[in-house]
């Protein structure tokens, strides 16, 4: 039996190890709309860490159950919104003893990252625009 400690997300080395692990998982996924960086870019790594607290088994269950949901819904990719709807199930592990620490604490109600509102573009500066057919000074 191998005892794996949770990933540490408080040091650069810990973050790098977590991202490397996610990249390895990402390489193994066979979703039709998956893309490079699906698990390792943007706010996805922080979301995954928040949902699992870096526990490898919980991360595995979340991604497996998320992939099942992605296939069933036709999404065919993992997004924080899809994973937010995915419950982490420990499956047939009913013989574990919670008092002995065999059942990990599963974070509940972790909200997906919110999309920031798109910024309204400033209007174009029109000071130097040619307005056409105006009489020249002195005409």
């Amino acid at each position: 039996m191998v005892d794996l400690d949770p990933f540490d997300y408080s040091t650069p080395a810990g973050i790098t190890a977590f991202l490397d692990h996610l990249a390895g998982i990402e390489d193994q996924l066979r979703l039709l709309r998956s893309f490079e960086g699906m698990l390792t870019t943007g706010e996805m790594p922080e979301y995954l860490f928040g949902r699992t607290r870096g526990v490898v088994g919980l991360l595995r269950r979340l991604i497996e159950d998320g992939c099942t949901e992605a296939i069933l819904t036709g999404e065919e990719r993992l997004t924080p919104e899809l994973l937010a709807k995915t419950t982490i199930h420990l499956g047939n592990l009913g013989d574990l003893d919670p008092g002995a620490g065999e059942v990990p604490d599963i974070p509940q109600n972790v909200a997906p990252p919110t999309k920031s509102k798109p910024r309204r573009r400033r209007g174009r500066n029109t000071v130097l625009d040619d307005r056409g057919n105006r009489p020249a000074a002195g005409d």
Side-chain angles (χ1 to χ4, degrees):
M1 181 161 101
V2 177
D3 185 19
L4 296 175
D5 287 329
F7 283 98
D8 176 23
Y9 212 72
S10 63
T11 66
I15 293 170
T16 300
F18 187 66
L19 290 175
D20 288 345
H21 186 72
L22 291 179
I25 293 171
E26 190 177 277
D27 289 342
Q28 304 280 323
L29 295 180
R30 298 294 177 253
L31 297 172
L32 293 176
R33 295 181 59 213
S34 66
F35 55 91
E36 188 173 334
M38 181 173 65
L39 299 180
T40 58
T41 60
E43 296 186 9
M44 183 65 99
E46 289 84 7
Y47 177 72
L48 291 171
F49 189 84
R51 280 291 302 271
T52 64
R53 292 197 177 110
V55 176
V56 175
L58 294 180
L59 181 64
R60 177 176 171 238
R61 291 299 329 155
L62 177 61
I63 291 176
E64 282 183 8
D65 294 345
C67 285
T68 301
E69 186 69 19
I71 291 168
L72 292 174
T73 61
E75 178 71 20
E76 290 292 337
R77 64 185 171 144
L78 295 178
T79 64
E81 294 78 23
L82 182 130
L83 291 174
K85 297 183 238 174
T86 304
T87 304
I88 299 174
H89 297 287
L90 295 180
N92 57 357
L93 302 177
D95 59 341
L96 298 179
D97 181 10
E102 292 178 340
V103 178
D105 179 31
I106 301 173
Q108 301 296 323
N109 302 321
V110 177
T114 57
K115 303 251 186 219
S116 59
K117 292 181 183 177
R119 290 188 192 174
R120 190 170 161 224
R121 290 186 62 179
R122 280 181 38 192
R124 198 171 68 73
N125 186 347
T126 60
V127 171
L128 299 175
D129 283 356
D130 182 10
R131 306 254 188 246
N133 299 336
R134 282 204 240 165
D139 283 338

